[in-house]
Amino acid sequence: MIVTGEAQHWAWQQRVLPPVEQVRPGVWSIPVPIPHNPLRYTLCYAFLDDTGVLLVDPGWESAEGRDAVTAGLRAAGATVADVTGALITHVHPDHHGLSGWLRSVSGAWIGMHPLEARSLPGRVWRDLDPATDRAWLLRHGVPEDAAGALTVDPERMSQLLGMAEPDRTFEDGDLLPLARHELRAVWTPGHTPGHLCLHDAAAGILLTGDHLLPRISPNIGVHPGEEGNPLSTYLASLEQTAKFADEEALPAHEYRFRGIDARAAGLIAHHDDRGHEILAVLGTRGESTAWAIAAELTWSRGWDALRGMLRRMALGETLAHLRHLAATGAVRSDGGTPELWRR
Ligand SMILES: [Zn+2]
């Protein structure tokens, strides 16, 4: 893997916001801050075209974010009013938060994969009451006294519930409506069900969203109401992405890089190691809940340092691994309440 976004990499190490950069003729990278978040910024990409400006992932909703998008477009020789469309790689708030504002000030359409539209918090959580959420936690082995701290915070949810509905949807292989760029949607489910990367073959770039980041391994987790197997899906997407080996990766966080195949292989190996760690825990403990297994895994700051939503994410990641291991035949679930797993 080779870092190509040198100014971005330097800024990452200095803990400052990287510069607005033109990465190809008519393609700009605009860092949009995420206040009070270790990810620090989202890299929004602007495609300047005869038809107007297409923005990919406008970023987190905040006054600083709106200012950064406005100033970044100005540096590129455009204005917010020129924006005709916003393509969202996935509906997490650090990507999709500003879409509603952007549409209201420019009239731009908002586009995403249809499965992403279905997983908008406003749709998923509308029907999920706190009792159902709590029952899900208990089913996966969370002790009664810990479940309270892990249930979803309604304060935080209220912001997410207001995120914009799309005006258009794009499926795998669809071209974005641009005159000067042939930008094609590449469906890469895993981090979210409808995650899209975007490929511009002429420019030799792949916008990777959160699917492939140079340093961070994106969260692959199971959430209440989802019965799928996101990790198997993600690993299959990574294998598909390796075919873009010759392209420069333009990720949604951190910095640009080359070596998409090497990075995809590294992430696959990382998940493979994690699977082995889970099998080792089950070998020692015998039958266990996902929560009990999660508590024995290695976490970068240790299990005890994980609190609240971070612990919930750890549980979701462990469950994603267990479902993937079950699909390969390495573990079995008893399907009960609490749900117990064994080798
Ligand atoms: Zn993100």
Side-chain angles (χ1 to χ4, degrees):
M1 222 191 77
I2 298 161
V3 174
T4 49
E6 287 176 22
Q8 295 172 330
H9 188 239
W10 184 84
W12 179 264
Q13 289 169 324
Q14 302 300 312
R15 313 185 70 81
V16 296
L17 205 62
V20 174
E21 291 178 275
Q22 181 168 215
V23 291
R24 292 291 186 282
V27 184
W28 291 74
S29 159
I30 303 171
V32 180
I34 316 171
H36 317 296
N37 187 301
L39 274 175
R40 302 215 287 272
Y41 56 86
T42 303
L43 295 168
C44 162
Y45 295 97
F47 286 76
L48 275 62
D49 200 76
D50 304 335
T51 55
V53 176
L54 173 78
L55 280 192
V56 179
D57 288 348
W60 183 272
E61 159 60 35
S62 73
E64 298 97 306
R66 292 191 290 270
D67 289 349
V69 169
T70 307
L73 284 169
R74 195 181 306 125
T79 68
V80 172
D82 298 331
V83 179
T84 48
L87 190 284
I88 313 304
T89 61
H90 63 296
V91 297
H92 287 168
D94 52 325
H95 302 255
H96 185 38
L98 273 174
S99 306
W101 164 76
L102 192 66
R103 182 166 61 189
S104 72
V105 295
S106 67
W109 52 261
I110 297 171
M112 60 182 69
H113 190 277
L115 288 179
E116 217 46 33
R118 276 175 51 188
S119 51
L120 273 165
R123 295 199 199 180
V124 175
W125 293 91
R126 187 176 49 202
D127 305 324
L128 196 69
D129 64 90
T132 311
D133 189 41
R134 185 180 171 83
W136 183 85
L137 292 168
L138 297 178
R139 174 168 174 237
H140 294 300
V142 177
E144 290 270 356
D145 58 344
L150 263 65
T151 46
V152 164
D153 174 8
E155 185 87 358
R156 185 169 173 272
M157 279 320 281
S158 66
Q159 273 184 22
L160 304 185
L161 294 176
M163 287 198 300
E165 284 279 335
D167 306 295
R168 297 185 180 192
T169 55
F170 294 89
E171 309 231 17
D172 188 51
D174 285 351
L175 278 174
L176 276 291
L178 290 166
R180 270 196 274 161
H181 306 264
E182 200 163 286
L183 191 62
R184 198 175 290 279
V186 182
W187 182 41
T188 48
H191 178 54
T192 62
H195 188 287
L196 287 179
C197 291
L198 295 159
H199 184 218
D200 184 336
I205 53 177
L206 183 74
L207 275 64
T208 58
D210 280 1
H211 174 59
L212 209 62
L213 299 167
R215 198 183 56 96
I216 300 169
S217 170
N219 170 264
I220 310 295
V222 169
H223 309 285
E226 289 174 9
E227 289 314 312
N229 176 358
L231 184 56
S232 296
T233 306
Y234 179 61
L235 295 172
S237 290
L238 283 177
E239 276 172 19
Q240 286 294 316
T241 318
K243 73 177 181 224
F244 296 101
D246 294 335
E247 312 299 43
E248 184 180 12
L250 273 53
H253 301 288
E254 304 184 317
Y255 32 82
R256 299 190 299 282
F257 64 97
R258 284 193 183 276
I260 285 176
D261 51 343
R263 183 57 183 144
L267 286 164
I268 291 169
H270 162 78
H271 285 293
D272 201 43
D273 289 349
R274 196 58 153 178
H276 284 111
E277 194 185 357
I278 288 174
L279 289 176
V281 169
L282 275 176
T284 314
R285 288 185 61 96
E287 225 171 37
S288 302
T289 63
W291 177 260
I293 297 164
E296 295 206 9
L297 298 177
T298 323
W299 301 99
S300 52
R301 275 162 291 178
W303 175 254
D304 289 337
L306 292 178
R307 291 273 166 251
M309 293 314 280
L310 289 176
R311 255 193 198 187
R312 192 183 167 114
M313 281 170 74
L315 172 65
E317 281 183 30
T318 307
L319 259 175
H321 269 285
L322 287 164
R323 288 196 187 167
H324 171 62
L325 290 168
T328 65
V331 304
R332 282 184 293 140
S333 146
D334 70 350
T337 302
E339 184 175 26
L340 294 171
W341 298 85
R342 72 171 74 88
R343 284 174 75 155

